[in-house]
Amino acid sequence: MCSTAWAKSYEQKARAFEQQGQWTQARRAWQSTLIQEPKNLDARYHLAQLLEKSGHPSDAESLYKKNMQIGRHLNTTVALAELYIKQKEPLKAIKLLKKATKIFRNEAVPWYLLAELSLQTNDSTQAQYYFQKSLKADPLNGFAHLRYAQFLSIKKQHKQALNHAKKALRLQKECAQCWRIYGDILQAANKPQNALKAYQHSLAIQPSSDTRQHFIYLLQQLGEHQRAKRMQQALDAWKKNNP
């Protein structure tokens, strides 16, 4: 566990407190950082994130907007768009993201978030356009390839989906979630044994009850009921001890 003893600034203390899960202390340290550095966009963003997580979305929104008045900060723009989506205000999110595509011309994130908003209204044609724009903006963004792969998989374009998923993994080799999603795409493409290997690789990078559950479901489908049962029992015991 990271200690705050080494920290020479409030920002360093804030990051250490966050790693320890000491959210109140982290919030105070970020606030102190902003008193010393009122134009510190990262500090204001992190403070807003903590406030949002602790149930203060209006305060977080104000901080996000303040950041955007001061300067360009992609994480802030994305966080505000996602907050609007949570608040069931998709039109605000769309307007913000479209503006972001012009400000952050070499970033894929605003484009693929627009694509996913299009999917919520079942507009696959618009989603396809936005996904392709995201890849054009930043061809080396692994998450852009992965999200597009998920879209293609849902559309049953399995060969293209697997190609983009593989590109994503070449760019994000140590991303456990990426390997789990790759497993889902392989499963949808009727490649269950490869999907099992992908899930195993994901778990080797970072243990996850969600990924383990995907692994168990696939074992059941393959008829490996005893193995699936043992893993489910182990997972249930772990969840009981780690509520």
Side-chain angles (χ1 to χ4, degrees), residues 68 77-101 110 113-114 117 120:
M68 294 172 66
T77 302
V78 170
L80 182 55
E82 290 177 338
L83 179 59
Y84 286 147
I85 294 168
K86 291 174 189 173
Q87 294 174 335
K88 310 297 183 185
E89 295 183 289
L91 294 180
K92 283 187 177 181
I94 290 169
K95 183 179 179 180
L96 180 63
L97 291 169
K98 284 184 175 180
K99 184 177 179 180
T101 63
L113 290 178
L114 281 168
L117 281 168
Q120 291 181 16

Short mmCIF file of all heavy atoms in Angstrom, two decimals, residues 68 77-101 110 113-114 117 120:
data_model
loop_
_atom_site.label_atom_id
_atom_site.label_comp_id
_atom_site.label_asym_id
_atom_site.label_seq_id
_atom_site.Cartn_x
_atom_site.Cartn_y
_atom_site.Cartn_z
N MET A 68 -13.40 23.32 -17.96
CA MET A 68 -13.53 23.56 -19.39
C MET A 68 -13.46 25.05 -19.72
O MET A 68 -13.09 25.43 -20.84
CB MET A 68 -14.83 22.94 -19.91
CG MET A 68 -14.81 21.41 -19.83
SD MET A 68 -16.40 20.64 -20.21
CE MET A 68 -16.56 21.08 -21.93
N THR A 77 -13.98 16.55 -20.20
CA THR A 77 -15.05 16.56 -21.21
C THR A 77 -15.79 15.24 -21.22
O THR A 77 -17.03 15.19 -21.24
CB THR A 77 -14.47 16.86 -22.60
OG1 THR A 77 -13.77 18.12 -22.56
CG2 THR A 77 -15.55 16.91 -23.64
N VAL A 78 -15.03 14.15 -21.20
CA VAL A 78 -15.64 12.81 -21.22
C VAL A 78 -16.45 12.57 -19.94
O VAL A 78 -17.57 12.05 -20.00
CB VAL A 78 -14.54 11.73 -21.38
CG1 VAL A 78 -15.12 10.34 -21.16
CG2 VAL A 78 -13.91 11.84 -22.76
N ALA A 79 -15.90 12.97 -18.80
CA ALA A 79 -16.59 12.77 -17.53
C ALA A 79 -17.91 13.53 -17.49
O ALA A 79 -18.93 13.01 -17.01
CB ALA A 79 -15.69 13.19 -16.37
N LEU A 80 -17.91 14.76 -18.01
CA LEU A 80 -19.14 15.55 -18.02
C LEU A 80 -20.18 14.94 -18.95
O LEU A 80 -21.36 14.86 -18.62
CB LEU A 80 -18.84 16.99 -18.42
CG LEU A 80 -20.04 17.95 -18.44
CD1 LEU A 80 -20.75 17.97 -17.08
CD2 LEU A 80 -19.60 19.36 -18.82
N ALA A 81 -19.72 14.46 -20.11
CA ALA A 81 -20.64 13.79 -21.04
C ALA A 81 -21.25 12.55 -20.40
O ALA A 81 -22.46 12.30 -20.50
CB ALA A 81 -19.90 13.42 -22.33
N GLU A 82 -20.43 11.77 -19.72
CA GLU A 82 -20.92 10.55 -19.06
C GLU A 82 -21.87 10.89 -17.92
O GLU A 82 -22.84 10.16 -17.66
CB GLU A 82 -19.74 9.72 -18.56
CG GLU A 82 -18.95 9.10 -19.72
CD GLU A 82 -17.73 8.32 -19.26
OE1 GLU A 82 -17.24 8.59 -18.13
OE2 GLU A 82 -17.27 7.44 -20.02
N LEU A 83 -21.62 12.02 -17.24
CA LEU A 83 -22.54 12.46 -16.19
C LEU A 83 -23.89 12.82 -16.78
O LEU A 83 -24.94 12.46 -16.22
CB LEU A 83 -21.94 13.66 -15.45
CG LEU A 83 -22.81 14.27 -14.32
CD1 LEU A 83 -23.12 13.23 -13.25
CD2 LEU A 83 -22.09 15.47 -13.71
N TYR A 84 -23.89 13.51 -17.92
CA TYR A 84 -25.15 13.85 -18.59
C TYR A 84 -25.92 12.57 -18.98
O TYR A 84 -27.15 12.51 -18.87
CB TYR A 84 -24.88 14.68 -19.83
CG TYR A 84 -24.50 16.12 -19.56
CD1 TYR A 84 -23.61 16.80 -20.41
CD2 TYR A 84 -25.02 16.82 -18.47
CE1 TYR A 84 -23.26 18.12 -20.17
CE2 TYR A 84 -24.67 18.14 -18.22
CZ TYR A 84 -23.79 18.78 -19.08
OH TYR A 84 -23.44 20.09 -18.84
N ILE A 85 -25.17 11.57 -19.44
CA ILE A 85 -25.82 10.31 -19.82
C ILE A 85 -26.47 9.65 -18.61
O ILE A 85 -27.60 9.17 -18.68
CB ILE A 85 -24.79 9.36 -20.49
CG1 ILE A 85 -24.32 9.96 -21.82
CG2 ILE A 85 -25.40 7.98 -20.71
CD1 ILE A 85 -23.12 9.26 -22.42
N LYS A 86 -25.76 9.64 -17.48
CA LYS A 86 -26.31 9.08 -16.24
C LYS A 86 -27.56 9.84 -15.80
O LYS A 86 -28.49 9.26 -15.23
CB LYS A 86 -25.28 9.14 -15.12
CG LYS A 86 -24.09 8.21 -15.30
CD LYS A 86 -23.06 8.46 -14.20
CE LYS A 86 -21.77 7.73 -14.46
NZ LYS A 86 -20.71 8.08 -13.48
N GLN A 87 -27.59 11.14 -16.06
CA GLN A 87 -28.71 11.98 -15.66
C GLN A 87 -29.84 11.97 -16.69
O GLN A 87 -30.78 12.76 -16.59
CB GLN A 87 -28.22 13.41 -15.43
CG GLN A 87 -27.27 13.55 -14.25
CD GLN A 87 -26.69 14.95 -14.12
OE1 GLN A 87 -26.60 15.70 -15.08
NE2 GLN A 87 -26.31 15.32 -12.90
N LYS A 88 -29.74 11.07 -17.68
CA LYS A 88 -30.76 10.93 -18.73
C LYS A 88 -30.90 12.22 -19.55
O LYS A 88 -32.01 12.64 -19.91
CB LYS A 88 -32.12 10.55 -18.12
CG LYS A 88 -32.08 9.37 -17.17
CD LYS A 88 -31.65 8.09 -17.87
CE LYS A 88 -31.69 6.90 -16.91
NZ LYS A 88 -31.16 5.66 -17.53
N GLU A 89 -29.76 12.83 -19.85
CA GLU A 89 -29.74 14.03 -20.68
C GLU A 89 -28.82 13.79 -21.88
O GLU A 89 -27.79 14.45 -22.04
CB GLU A 89 -29.26 15.23 -19.88
CG GLU A 89 -30.19 15.62 -18.74
CD GLU A 89 -29.74 16.86 -18.01
OE1 GLU A 89 -28.72 16.77 -17.28
OE2 GLU A 89 -30.39 17.91 -18.17
N PRO A 90 -29.20 12.86 -22.77
CA PRO A 90 -28.33 12.49 -23.87
C PRO A 90 -28.06 13.62 -24.86
O PRO A 90 -26.99 13.68 -25.46
CB PRO A 90 -29.06 11.33 -24.55
CG PRO A 90 -30.50 11.51 -24.16
CD PRO A 90 -30.45 12.07 -22.77
N LEU A 91 -29.03 14.53 -25.04
CA LEU A 91 -28.83 15.62 -25.99
C LEU A 91 -27.69 16.54 -25.54
O LEU A 91 -26.91 17.03 -26.37
CB LEU A 91 -30.12 16.42 -26.16
CG LEU A 91 -31.28 15.65 -26.82
CD1 LEU A 91 -32.51 16.53 -26.94
CD2 LEU A 91 -30.87 15.12 -28.20
N LYS A 92 -27.59 16.77 -24.24
CA LYS A 92 -26.48 17.57 -23.71
C LYS A 92 -25.15 16.86 -23.96
O LYS A 92 -24.15 17.49 -24.31
CB LYS A 92 -26.66 17.82 -22.22
CG LYS A 92 -27.68 18.89 -21.87
CD LYS A 92 -27.65 19.18 -20.37
CE LYS A 92 -28.59 20.29 -19.99
NZ LYS A 92 -28.54 20.60 -18.53
N ALA A 93 -25.17 15.54 -23.75
CA ALA A 93 -23.95 14.75 -23.97
C ALA A 93 -23.53 14.79 -25.43
O ALA A 93 -22.34 14.96 -25.75
CB ALA A 93 -24.17 13.32 -23.51
N ILE A 94 -24.49 14.64 -26.32
CA ILE A 94 -24.20 14.65 -27.76
C ILE A 94 -23.61 16.00 -28.18
O ILE A 94 -22.61 16.06 -28.90
CB ILE A 94 -25.47 14.33 -28.57
CG1 ILE A 94 -25.85 12.85 -28.36
CG2 ILE A 94 -25.26 14.62 -30.05
CD1 ILE A 94 -27.22 12.49 -28.89
N LYS A 95 -24.23 17.08 -27.73
CA LYS A 95 -23.74 18.42 -28.06
C LYS A 95 -22.30 18.62 -27.58
O LYS A 95 -21.44 19.14 -28.30
CB LYS A 95 -24.66 19.47 -27.45
CG LYS A 95 -24.28 20.91 -27.80
CD LYS A 95 -25.26 21.90 -27.18
CE LYS A 95 -24.86 23.34 -27.49
NZ LYS A 95 -25.81 24.32 -26.90
N LEU A 96 -22.04 18.18 -26.36
CA LEU A 96 -20.71 18.31 -25.77
C LEU A 96 -19.69 17.49 -26.54
O LEU A 96 -18.57 17.96 -26.83
CB LEU A 96 -20.76 17.88 -24.30
CG LEU A 96 -19.46 17.95 -23.51
CD1 LEU A 96 -18.96 19.39 -23.42
CD2 LEU A 96 -19.66 17.39 -22.11
N LEU A 97 -20.04 16.25 -26.88
CA LEU A 97 -19.10 15.36 -27.57
C LEU A 97 -18.83 15.82 -29.00
O LEU A 97 -17.70 15.71 -29.49
CB LEU A 97 -19.64 13.93 -27.56
CG LEU A 97 -19.65 13.25 -26.19
CD1 LEU A 97 -20.45 11.95 -26.23
CD2 LEU A 97 -18.23 12.98 -25.70
N LYS A 98 -19.84 16.34 -29.67
CA LYS A 98 -19.62 16.85 -31.03
C LYS A 98 -18.66 18.04 -31.00
O LYS A 98 -17.80 18.18 -31.88
CB LYS A 98 -20.95 17.24 -31.66
CG LYS A 98 -21.78 16.05 -32.13
CD LYS A 98 -23.05 16.50 -32.85
CE LYS A 98 -23.79 15.29 -33.41
NZ LYS A 98 -25.03 15.68 -34.10
N LYS A 99 -18.80 18.87 -30.00
CA LYS A 99 -17.87 19.99 -29.85
C LYS A 99 -16.46 19.47 -29.56
O LYS A 99 -15.47 20.00 -30.07
CB LYS A 99 -18.35 20.90 -28.71
CG LYS A 99 -17.51 22.15 -28.54
CD LYS A 99 -18.07 23.04 -27.43
CE LYS A 99 -17.22 24.29 -27.24
NZ LYS A 99 -17.77 25.16 -26.15
N ALA A 100 -16.39 18.39 -28.77
CA ALA A 100 -15.09 17.81 -28.41
C ALA A 100 -14.38 17.23 -29.62
O ALA A 100 -13.14 17.25 -29.69
CB ALA A 100 -15.28 16.74 -27.35
N THR A 101 -15.13 16.70 -30.59
CA THR A 101 -14.48 16.15 -31.79
C THR A 101 -13.73 17.22 -32.57
O THR A 101 -12.77 16.92 -33.29
CB THR A 101 -15.50 15.47 -32.73
OG1 THR A 101 -16.44 16.45 -33.20
CG2 THR A 101 -16.23 14.34 -32.02
N PRO A 110 -14.25 10.91 -28.07
CA PRO A 110 -15.54 11.55 -28.31
C PRO A 110 -16.34 10.86 -29.42
O PRO A 110 -17.57 10.74 -29.33
CB PRO A 110 -15.16 12.98 -28.70
CG PRO A 110 -13.81 13.19 -28.12
CD PRO A 110 -13.13 11.86 -28.21
N LEU A 113 -17.82 7.45 -28.18
CA LEU A 113 -18.93 7.68 -27.25
C LEU A 113 -20.18 8.13 -28.00
O LEU A 113 -21.30 7.74 -27.65
CB LEU A 113 -18.52 8.71 -26.20
CG LEU A 113 -17.47 8.25 -25.18
CD1 LEU A 113 -17.12 9.39 -24.23
CD2 LEU A 113 -17.97 7.04 -24.39
N LEU A 114 -20.00 8.94 -29.03
CA LEU A 114 -21.14 9.31 -29.89
C LEU A 114 -21.72 8.07 -30.56
O LEU A 114 -22.95 7.94 -30.69
CB LEU A 114 -20.68 10.31 -30.96
CG LEU A 114 -20.52 11.76 -30.50
CD1 LEU A 114 -19.80 12.58 -31.57
CD2 LEU A 114 -21.88 12.38 -30.18
N LEU A 117 -23.85 6.24 -28.07
CA LEU A 117 -25.12 6.94 -27.87
C LEU A 117 -26.06 6.66 -29.04
O LEU A 117 -27.28 6.52 -28.83
CB LEU A 117 -24.87 8.44 -27.73
CG LEU A 117 -24.39 8.90 -26.35
CD1 LEU A 117 -23.91 10.35 -26.41
CD2 LEU A 117 -25.49 8.75 -25.31
N GLN A 120 -27.83 3.44 -28.57
CA GLN A 120 -28.93 3.48 -27.59
C GLN A 120 -30.26 3.83 -28.26
O GLN A 120 -31.32 3.49 -27.74
CB GLN A 120 -28.61 4.48 -26.49
CG GLN A 120 -27.47 4.05 -25.57
CD GLN A 120 -27.19 5.04 -24.46
OE1 GLN A 120 -27.99 5.92 -24.18
NE2 GLN A 120 -26.04 4.90 -23.81
#
